[in-house]
Amino acid sequence: MAETFDHTPQVWTAGRLRDALANLPDETPIHIGVADGPGDFEGYGEYVLVDAEPVEMDADGTEGAPPVQFTLFADARAGAYYLDVD
């Protein structure tokens, strides 16, 4: 049987992100390092922030309006890439 572990990252709030960005110039690009696996940033993939918007999540059978999360969208950094022809 495969060994398992619980992964509970501390998810940032809007306030924590605002604090982290407070002293950056407006033209500073935002890069995002995406872990190769849970908590594994040794060989992370580097992306850039391209969009941010509220996204409705599934209500999971609860009554009322579905919950909304604010989601940051990332894409590959600018550069030359081989065309994926699959």
Side-chain angles (χ1 to χ4, degrees):
M1 176 179 260
E3 194 173 327
T4 63
F5 66 96
D6 288 328
H7 179 64
T8 53
Q10 183 179 0
V11 178
W12 279 34
T13 63
R16 186 169 175 191
L17 180 59
R18 247 185 245 110
D19 287 345
L21 300 175
N23 296 317
L24 289 176
D26 289 345
E27 63 278 356
T28 302
I30 304 298
H31 290 243
I32 300 169
V34 178
D36 280 346
D40 178 10
F41 289 96
E42 289 295 319
Y44 69 89
E46 189 175 343
Y47 296 86
V48 292
L49 181 63
V50 294
D51 196 8
E53 61 185 63
V55 174
E56 277 189 12
M57 307 306 291
D58 189 6
D60 292 332
T62 58
E63 291 186 28
V68 174
Q69 292 183 4
F70 198 78
T71 302
L72 303 177
F73 293 93
D75 197 352
R77 303 187 292 168
Y81 293 91
Y82 287 102
L83 182 62
D84 185 4
V85 292
D86 285 339

